[in-house]
Amino acid sequence: MQQTFLYQIAQSMHFFWIALFGTLMLMLSFLFGGHDEFDHDMDHDHDMDHDGDHGGNMSILSFKVLWMFLVGFGAGGYFAADAKCTVLVSSLWGLFAGVLMGAIGYALINFLYKRQGNSVVKTELALGQVAYVDTTIPSGGVGEVRCVVDGHSEYFRATAKASVPIPTGSAVRVVEVAAGGVLVVEKVD
């Protein structure tokens, strides 16, 4: 059966609107969407922290992948309908293009998210490390030490384990982490 020109235009426009909607939603999710596909922080009465990256991959069922699928489905269906394919064939081409676009988007977004920086420094990584006093630690007070953590020089608030002052420039060893992330140090001989 020969399709009329008007029917052909209407069929391709349905796919066009699907692709346009997917594109707009994808742009909005990148501009205003949270990045909660990866990080979950939870503070509770028992101080439970969970900084899970879930293996570094976002869910295949995330909205960004869904929007990428819609862009591919709409574009594939539009071009197939524009080539005078039937609705079924256009939909199958759209499905193929949507899965392909979703997979490419999934791989690309994961590639970019895995390479983003993180400036969170866990004070627990300083345990057992040698640090140097940057600001004198007074007896019973708090000073500042510089310690190499994960290959980067970081500054931490610190207090002495013994009730004796530790002057600037002294080498100390981190023996524990007190409340509030304050390092407890002792002088290295």
Side-chain angles (χ1 to χ4, degrees):
M1 176 170 99
Q2 183 68 23
Q3 297 176 352
T4 66
F5 176 73
L6 189 57
Y7 175 79
Q8 195 68 35
I9 293 294
Q11 179 183 338
S12 63
M13 289 309 290
H14 286 107
F15 289 108
F16 173 79
W17 290 115
I18 291 171
L20 183 63
F21 175 74
T23 302
L24 291 174
M25 293 305 292
L26 184 64
M27 289 174 24
L28 287 173
S29 71
F30 279 123
L31 290 175
F32 301 113
H35 305 290
D36 57 350
E37 284 99 354
F38 292 104
D39 295 328
H40 299 288
D41 292 330
M42 181 173 77
D43 288 328
H44 192 59
D45 290 345
H46 303 289
D47 271 347
M48 281 182 6
D49 287 330
H50 174 66
D51 295 327
D53 61 356
H54 306 292
N57 292 327
M58 68 186 224
S59 170
I60 193 81
L61 299 176
S62 77
F63 280 106
K64 288 180 179 74
V65 175
L66 173 68
W67 304 140
M68 292 290 285
F69 171 82
L70 282 179
V71 170
F73 178 81
Y78 174 81
F79 288 118
D82 199 45
K84 300 192 183 349
C85 294
T86 65
V87 173
L88 178 63
V89 173
S90 297
S91 297
L92 289 175
W93 274 108
L95 185 64
F96 171 74
V99 169
L100 182 65
M101 188 75 157
I104 290 170
Y106 176 76
L108 178 65
I109 293 168
N110 275 327
F111 175 79
L112 294 174
Y113 276 144
K114 283 181 182 178
R115 277 138 188 88
Q116 68 184 354
N118 184 354
S119 62
V120 174
V121 178
K122 297 201 178 267
T123 54
E124 292 80 22
L125 296 175
L127 279 173
Q129 299 291 327
V130 173
Y132 296 93
V133 177
D134 190 56
T135 304
T136 300
I137 302 172
S139 177
V142 177
E144 189 175 61
V145 296
R146 179 179 36 87
C147 181
V148 176
V149 176
D150 280 341
H152 300 285
S153 186
E154 302 289 344
Y155 292 88
F156 299 97
R157 294 180 308 141
T159 186
K161 185 172 183 169
S163 293
V164 294
I166 303 176
T168 300
S170 301
V172 294
R173 182 170 309 280
V174 179
V175 292
E176 70 180 89
V177 178
V182 176
L183 301 181
V184 178
V185 296
E186 61 186 9
K187 195 167 182 179
V188 176
D189 296 322

